[in-house]
Amino acid sequence: MLQNLKSLPIILDLRKILFESKFSSDINVNYFRGVYRSFEEARLSSPKTKPVGYDNTEAAGLYKERTRKIYSTDYPVLFWMDKFKLDIKKVFDFGGHIGIHYYSFSKILDFTNIENWTVCDVQSVVEEGRIYSEQKNAKDLNFVTDIQDLEDQDLFLASGSLQYLDWELHNKLSGLKKRPKILIINMLPLHNSLSTITLQSIGTSFCPYYIRNEDDFIQGLESIGYELLDLWSNEEKKCNIAFEKERSLNFYRGLVFHLR
C-alpha cells in the first residue's frame, strides 16, 4: 500500500521536487539522478550550485584519508597484484587521484619490483598529487593527464574511474603499439542487461556517470586479445538512481584480464 501511495502522480512529483533540492545542495553525499543520451546532456542538466567534474580545487582535495587505509574492496586487487608481482615493473593507475593506491597498497604489497607508478588524472588532481608526493617524498610516483602515456606499461589499474569516461577502454587500448599485459579493473558499475548514462553528485561537484553493459564491456576487451581471468562483486558498493529501480545496481564489479 505504501509503495502504491508513493507512486501516485502527485506524491511522485513531490518526491522528485524534494530529491532535486537535496541533490542540488547536499554535501558529503553520493546521489544519482536521471537517464541521459550523452555525457553532454547529463552535464547540461546539472544544477548550477556546484561545478561539474573532478577538475576543480574542491574535488582535488578529496580522499586523502584513503592514502592511509586499505578498504575491503581493495583486497581482490591486492591479491592479483601480488600474484603478478614478478611481471609488474610499471603501473599505470588510471583515475588514481593523488596516488591513493600507491600509498595505501605500499603498506601491504612488496613494491621491490616496481620501478615506476604513474597516475593519470585530470589537471587539478594531478597538481594536488604532485604537491602531496613531494611532501611524502614519493620519488617513483609520477603524474600525467593523457591516457596515451599508457604506452609500454605492464599493469593498467582502474579502480572506480572508468565510469567517469564516455569512451570504451578497448578502443583506447587497441590504438597502442604495446598494450599492458595485465588489466585490473575494480569498483566498476556494470549492469547485466542495460547501459545507462546518469548524473552523480559527489558533494563537491556533479559528474556524468556511465553504467555499462557487462557482456559488452568484457567482449570488447576479449576482441582485442585479452582473456578474462577473474570476475568478482563489490558488494559494499551500490548505485541507486533515483526513481530508476531497473537501472540501479546492488553491487559493482571487479575484473582481471591478461593479454594472450
Side-chain angles (χ1 to χ4, degrees), residues 190-247:
L190 295 176
H191 196 281
N192 62 9
S193 61
L194 300 171
S195 61
T196 302
I197 295 173
T198 186
L199 186 70
Q200 179 190 32
S201 171
I202 62 171
T204 59
S205 62
F206 304 107
C207 302
Y209 200 87
Y210 190 3
I211 301 172
R212 291 171 170 83
N213 176 279
E214 183 172 303
D215 288 341
D216 291 347
F217 182 77
I218 293 171
Q219 289 168 14
L221 290 168
E222 290 178 336
S223 72
I224 61 167
Y226 284 95
E227 178 186 4
L228 179 65
L229 300 183
D230 195 12
L231 173 68
W232 62 88
S233 298
N234 302 129
E235 302 284 352
E236 303 88 337
K237 186 75 172 172
K238 301 180 188 302
C239 176
N240 294 314
I241 305 175
F243 314 107
E244 296 287 348
K245 186 175 181 180
E246 286 187 2
R247 295 178 180 271

Side-chain angles (χ1 to χ4, degrees), residues 96-111:
H97 208 66
I98 60 169
I100 292 167
H101 297 113
Y102 169 85
Y103 297 109
S104 61
F105 288 5
S106 66
K107 303 179 188 308
I108 291 181
L109 287 180
D110 179 5
F111 274 19

Side-chain angles (χ1 to χ4, degrees), residues 15 25 37 45-46 102-103 123 133 180 193 206 220 229 231:
R15 289 172 60 209
S25 58
R37 291 170 294 182
S45 82
S46 301
Y102 169 85
Y103 297 109
Q123 188 63 46
S133 68
S193 61
F206 304 107
L229 300 183
L231 173 68

Side-chain angles (χ1 to χ4, degrees), residues 112-148:
T112 303
N113 202 48
I114 294 177
E115 299 173 354
N116 185 273
W117 188 298
T118 299
V119 170
C120 181
D121 218 302
V122 295
Q123 188 63 46
S124 295
V125 173
V126 161
E127 290 171 3
E128 183 70 22
R130 285 172 178 153
I131 294 170
Y132 193 75
S133 68
E134 288 176 6
Q135 295 171 352
K136 297 295 183 180
N137 197 31
K139 295 180 179 178
D140 52 351
L141 180 60
N142 301 303
F143 293 88
V144 298
T145 58
D146 192 342
I147 193 173
Q148 293 307 122

Side-chain angles (χ1 to χ4, degrees), residues 173-191:
L173 294 176
S174 65
L176 298 175
K177 293 180 181 177
K178 187 176 180 182
R179 299 171 193 165
K181 297 188 293 286
I182 304 156
L183 312 177
I184 301 180
I185 301 158
N186 198 33
M187 303 286 282
L188 183 66
L190 295 176
H191 196 281

Side-chain angles (χ1 to χ4, degrees), residues 72-94:
S72 58
T73 50
D74 292 326
Y75 282 98
V77 178
L78 289 166
F79 170 84
W80 282 103
M81 284 189 68
D82 183 64
K83 187 175 180 65
F84 284 118
K85 63 183 176 183
L86 297 180
D87 300 311
I88 300 172
K89 292 184 178 181
K90 298 177 183 178
V91 176
F92 193 86
D93 187 357
F94 185 75

